[in-house]
Amino acid sequence: MAKRRKMSRRDAMAEVARAAGVVCLGGFSLAALVKTTSSADARAIRPPGAMPEQDFLKACVRCGLCVEACPYGTLSLARWGDEAELGTPFFTPRSIPCYMCRDVPCARACPTGALDRDIPSIRDANMGVAVLVGHETCLNYKGINCGICVRVCPIRGKAISLEPQEINGRQVQIPVVHSSECTGCGTCEKQCVLGHAAIRVLPRDLGLGGPGRNRAGRPT
């Protein structure tokens, strides 16, 4: 068996410095993670009736009552690495969409007003807006009459419709989202037959785009 090498004072000091560096690095990493999760990810879809994001984050107490009230298991409380600030409710449409309960039990359960308990109807939810992101993968763009997103939409004929369009000299039927009617429930995203959904729900400010900027970099 090889003899254990005797560590010199210089080597010992180097080991201590190395260990201290690892601890500091870990501290900085944790701080960075906390800072990263201190604001919601742009893709986080909130429950029906949620206040504007910054107001929502101030009002939400992370109690989870909305999650418990959802009869479909749609909502979750965010954990490390999720798309929302730690402990806040959100849902991932591709996994489980909002099934648009008429009485909006999740909002009614909120004790702070982060979710509007007096929301008139689930149609007023404004959870997000569906956006056709897969122009190169959507089967309708390829001339295949899919239209599953239109057929499964709870607000059929109003939130999404198939519109004729000419692509490369060929007439095709393209899904078109009517943002004024779309609630962002995510049923279309959930039911898209592709491996990566060609249609996705985004927060409304992201899906519809923010204010433009002129050449001077000022809002127009």
Side-chain angles (χ1 to χ4, degrees), residues 68-108:
E68 294 178 9
C70 177
Y72 296 101
T74 298
L75 301 177
S76 300
L77 291 181
R79 297 178 293 182
W80 295 114
D82 280 336
E83 297 178 345
E85 183 173 328
L86 189 66
T88 61
F90 77 110
F91 71 99
T92 305
R94 189 60 164 167
S95 298
I96 309 178
C98 172
Y99 287 99
M100 297 185 60
C101 305
R102 291 186 178 182
D103 57 347
V104 203
C106 55
R108 311 291 186 215

Side-chain angles (χ1 to χ4, degrees), residues 42-46 74 83 90-99 127-134 146-154 159-160 175 177 182-203 206-207:
R43 297 167 295 174
I45 306 298
R46 298 301 186 185
T74 298
E83 297 178 345
F90 77 110
F91 71 99
T92 305
R94 189 60 164 167
S95 298
I96 309 178
C98 172
Y99 287 99
M127 294 168 278
V129 63
V131 178
L132 190 66
V133 296
C146 173
I148 185 67
C149 55
V150 176
R151 296 197 301 273
V152 300
C153 178
I160 312 178
V177 176
C182 178
T183 64
C185 71
T187 303
C188 55
E189 180 178 340
K190 168 66 176 178
Q191 299 299 334
C192 180
V193 298
L194 300 176
H196 294 283
I199 190 167
R200 292 195 59 189
V201 173
L202 301 175
L206 181 62

